C-alpha cells in the first residue's frame, strides 16, 4: 500500500508549473489531441473551448486587494498541487483563479499533475467516490504534508449542478451552460474565498 506522502512525492517529481501545463495543452491541440490516454473529437473539442476560456481568464481574473492582503499575511508557505486535465471544463475555470492567487503572493507555489497519469494520487482524493477534477491538494511548502484539499468546484456551483442534474436527469447541455454562466458571473471570488479559508 503506497502512502499518501509517497504518492504526493512521486507526483511532484513529474509536476508542471501552470505555464508548462498551458504550453502542453496548446502543443497537443496543435497536434489535434487532448491530454490523457483517451482521445476523441469530443475531448479535443472541449480542450479547444477550454484553451479559449483560459486565455480569457488569464487576462480578466483579478485578485481583490483584501484577498491579496490576506494571502500576503499568511504565516507559512504552501504548495498548491492541482490534479487536472485539459478537457475538463471546471479545471479551465478554476486553474487560472488558483494561478492568480499564487501570483499575488510569494507564500504560494502552484504545480499541476495530470489525472490519468496519477491515478493512485487521484484515488486518494476522490469526491463522492468519483475521480472529479480539478482537485487542489494544499501542502505545507516546507514539509510537503497535506494540509487540506478542495474541489472539484466551489460549494455554490456544486449545489447548482446537483439541483439542475435532479431537474434534467443528467448533466445535459443546459446544465453545462448554466454552470459556465455561474462561473462568468462569480469571477473566481467564491473559489478564492473558499481556498483562502483552508490556509488559516
Amino acid at each position: 500500500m503506497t502512502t499518501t506522502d509517497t504518492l504526493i512525492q512521486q507526483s511532484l517529481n513529474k509536476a508542471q508549473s501552470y505555464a508548462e501545463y498551458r504550453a502542453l495543452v496548446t502543443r497537443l491541440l496543435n497536434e489535434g489531441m487532448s491530454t490523457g490516454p483517451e482521445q476523441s473529437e469530443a475531448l479535443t473539442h472541449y480542450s479547444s473551448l477550454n484553451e479559449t476560456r483560459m486565455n480569457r481568464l488569464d487576462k480578466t481574473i483579478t485578485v481583490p486587494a483584501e484577498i491579496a492582503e490576506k494571502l500576503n499575511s499568511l504565516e507559512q508557505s504552501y504548495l498548491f498541487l492541482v490534479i487536472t486535465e485539459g478537457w475538463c471544463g471546471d479545471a479551465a475555470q478554476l486553474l487560472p483563479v488558483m494561478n492568480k492567487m499564487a501570483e499575488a503572493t510569494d507564500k504560494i507555489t502552484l504545480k499541476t499533475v495530470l489525472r490519468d497519469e496519477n491515478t493512485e494520487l487521484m484515488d486518494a482524493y476522490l469526491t463522492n467516490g468519483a475521480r472529479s477534477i480539478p482537485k487542489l491538494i494544499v501542502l505545507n511548502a516546507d514539509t510537503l504534508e497535506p494540509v487540506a484539499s478542495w474541489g472539484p468546484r466551489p460549494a455554490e456551483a456544486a449545489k447548482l449542478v446537483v439541483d439542475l442534474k435532479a431537474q434534467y436527469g443528467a448533466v445535459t447541455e443546459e446544465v453545462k451552460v448554466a454552470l459556465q454562466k455561474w462561473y462568468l458571473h462569480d469571477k473566481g471570488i467564491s473559489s478564492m474565498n473558499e481556498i483562502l479559508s483552508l490556509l488559516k
Side-chain angles (χ1 to χ4, degrees):
M1 181 75 181
T2 314
T3 65
T4 305
D5 289 353
T6 308
L7 289 174
I8 286 169
Q9 190 57 65
Q10 287 170 349
S11 298
L12 284 172
N13 289 340
K14 48 188 169 177
Q16 295 183 303
S17 69
Y18 180 72
E20 288 168 334
Y21 168 75
R22 293 297 317 274
L24 171 68
V25 173
T26 303
R27 178 174 61 76
L28 287 171
L29 275 174
N30 288 338
E31 295 168 13
M33 298 169 70
S34 65
T35 62
E38 189 184 329
Q39 297 294 324
S40 69
E41 278 185 37
L43 289 175
T44 307
H45 170 68
Y46 288 130
S47 292
S48 182
L49 280 180
N50 290 339
E51 173 100 329
T52 304
R53 270 184 201 127
M54 292 177 86
N55 286 338
R56 175 176 55 79
L57 291 167
D58 283 341
K59 293 190 183 87
T60 58
I61 289 287
T62 56
V63 178
E66 64 271 21
I67 292 179
E69 193 178 325
K70 287 175 183 171
L71 289 171
N72 282 301
S73 64
L74 290 169
E75 290 178 6
Q76 69 174 74
S77 296
Y78 296 94
L79 177 58
F80 281 10
L81 179 61
V82 187
I83 306 172
T84 184
E85 288 285 351
W87 43 258
C88 175
D90 288 292
Q93 293 286 356
L94 296 169
L95 255 178
V97 175
M98 296 178 207
N99 181 57
K100 290 289 183 182
M101 291 178 77
E103 286 181 343
T105 177
D106 60 3
K107 301 287 179 74
I108 296 171
T109 303
L110 177 70
K111 293 284 185 183
T112 67
V113 289
L114 296 177
R115 184 190 76 170
D116 295 340
E117 289 178 8
N118 296 272
T119 50
E120 280 191 272
L121 180 69
M122 180 74 257
D123 288 346
Y125 288 93
L126 298 176
T127 304
N128 300 323
R131 290 176 170 174
S132 303
I133 52 173
K135 195 68 164 189
L136 164 63
I137 305 165
V138 180
L139 305 171
N140 178 312
D142 299 319
T143 65
L144 298 183
E145 282 181 44
V147 175
S149 64
W150 181 88
R153 50 179 76 104
E156 195 179 319
K159 184 180 184 307
L160 175 73
V161 171
V162 168
D163 292 348
L164 289 175
K165 201 172 162 186
Q167 183 183 334
Y168 290 104
V171 178
T172 60
E173 206 53 44
E174 290 93 339
V175 178
K176 290 177 185 174
V177 169
L179 181 60
Q180 294 306 327
K181 283 182 179 170
W182 184 92
Y183 278 125
L184 195 63
H185 176 74
D186 185 70
K187 296 180 169 59
I189 301 301
S190 296
S191 304
M192 289 183 210
N193 282 320
E194 287 184 26
I195 293 168
L196 186 60
S197 72
L198 304 175
L199 309 180
K200 290 175 181 172

